[in-house]
Amino acid sequence: MTDRLHRSHLPARLEAPVTPDQVGIVHLGIGAFHRAHQAVFTELAARATGDRRWGILGVTQRSASVRDQLRPQGGAYSVLTAGTHGTRLDLVGAVLDVAWPAEETTRVLETIAAPTTHVVTLTVTEKGYARGADGGLDVERVRPDLDALAAGDAAVPGATAVGLLVRGLAARWRAAEAAGERRPITVLTCDNMVDNGHVLGRLVGEAVDAALPGEQGDGLRSWLATDVAFPCSMVDRIVPATTPAQRDAVERELGARDEGLVVGEPFRQWVIEDRFAGPRPAWEEAGATFTDDVAPWEQAKLRLLNGTHSLLAYAGRLAGHATLAEAVTDPVLHERARAFMLDDALPTLTPPDGADLRAYAESLLERFANPATGHTTVQVSMDGTQKIPFRWGGIVADRLAAGAVPAGAAFALAAWSEVVRREAVAGRLVDDPRAQELADVVAGAGDGDPAAAAPADVARALLALPGLLPEGVGTDAGLVDAVLAQVPELAEV
C-alpha cells in the first residue's frame, strides 16, 4: 500500500513546499478553488520573499471532507496544472491545517482573534453569503450564529460563513479590547460578486445590527469602521473536480497518495483592491495585480468569462453535452458564445488600463475548450438565480439602455428557462437556492401541472422572477420577445 503524502516526507524530485512559521490567514471555504488559486499565490509569495508568516488555516463549511484530506498530510498537497500542451505538478505547503466548524468553531474564532492573524479570505460561492432576494442579509438563515454572537457563546457550531466571520471579528474586537490593542484585520472576499468587498462589509454590518442592536453593538460597529477593511477582488482560474484517474496518475508520479490533489488550468489571475487594514503577503511577487479600482476587471471577468460559461452550460445541457469543452467545440454553440461576448458583453465594459478585452474574450474560448479542465455543464449551471443577476443582468440592462436588444443574452436566458422547465417536468428540483420557487413557477404556468406548461409561458414567467434581472428589465417587451423567439428551437433540442 502506498504511503500517504505528508509534509514531513516529500518527494525529492519536486521543489519542496514552504513550511510557514504560523497562521497569518484564515480562509473560509477551503475547496478546490482556493487550494489552486489563493493558496498557490500565497505559496509563491513566500518562496519569493522568504516571509513565512502567512500560513493558512482553512475552514470547511459543509463537511469534514477537506479536513480529512489535508490534516493527515500536514496540510501539504499537490496542484496538477493541466493544459492542452501537457501537465505540471507542484507541491503546496501554505495551508497548515483545516478546521471544520461543526466540531472546531472555538478554534476558528480564536484564530481569527489571534494577533498573528492579519487576513481572512473567503471563497464560499455566491449563495454562501446568506443573502435574501433583495440582496440583504437573510437574518433567519444566519440566526444560529447571531444568537451565539449575542450570547457570547464560542462553543455553538458555526452555521454559516458570514455568521462565523462576524463571530470571529467580534472575538477579535473583544480580545483587542482586553489586551489594550487595536488588532486591525482585512477581510478579502474572492467570490464572483459585483463589488464583492463592499457587499460583504454591508452584510457584516447587518449581522451586527441584528445580533447586537442599538448600544449593545456600538463598540463593535465602531471597531469595524476603523480597524477592518473589506477590499474588493477578482479571481480567475478554471479549477475542475479532480478525477480518480488523476489521483492515481499523481500517486504514481509522487510515490505517495495525495488525497488533497487539486487540478487547475495554466491561466491564473488575481486582481486586488489595494486597501488593507494591516500587513499582507507580497502576493504581487506571485503575479497578483494591485489596483485602486477592481470594478473594471471584475465586470470584464463576470460578463465575459462567467457570463459565457453559464450560457454554454445551459445551452450545452440542452444539446446533450456533458462538459464545457464539448459545448464550446460545438460549432453552433461556439458562435453563440462568441456573439454573446463580442456583441452583448464587450460594448458594456470599460477596459482596465493595459487590458485588451477583445483578445481576452477570444482567449476564453480556447481556455474553455481545454478538455483537461473537465468542467461539467451540470456543475456550471448550478445556482442560476444567484449567478444570472451578475453574469447577464447588467449586460441586458446596459444594452437595453443603449437602445439595443442583446440577442446573445436572450438566447442564454431562454436556455436557462428551458433547463428549469425540463427539470420540473421530470419531477426534479434544479440545484439552486430558489429551487422550489422555480418549480412552482413552472407548475403555475401549467395550471398546476408542469408537463402542461408551454415553454414560452414558462420563459415569460421566469423572466419576471423578482431579483433575477434589474427592475423592469424582465418585463421589457423587446427582451421578452427576443427570449421567446429562441424558445421554440431550444424546446425541440
Side-chain angles (χ1 to χ4, degrees), residues 58-74:
V59 181
T60 178
Q61 288 294 132
R62 288 176 291 186
S63 74
S65 60
V66 180
R67 182 196 65 181
D68 296 343
Q69 289 171 352
L70 293 187
R71 182 170 288 175
Q73 300 182 178

Side-chain angles (χ1 to χ4, degrees), residues 22-83:
Q22 62 189 31
V23 170
I25 302 169
V26 173
H27 181 79
L28 305 182
I30 185 166
F33 183 79
H34 170 74
R35 285 177 279 155
H37 191 275
Q38 297 99 54
V40 170
F41 277 89
T42 304
E43 174 85 13
L44 295 177
R47 293 187 189 186
T49 64
D51 186 351
R52 301 183 184 275
R53 294 175 294 165
W54 301 106
I56 300 167
L57 173 66
V59 181
T60 178
Q61 288 294 132
R62 288 176 291 186
S63 74
S65 60
V66 180
R67 182 196 65 181
D68 296 343
Q69 289 171 352
L70 293 187
R71 182 170 288 175
Q73 300 182 178
Y77 62 95
S78 55
V79 177
L80 180 67
T81 300

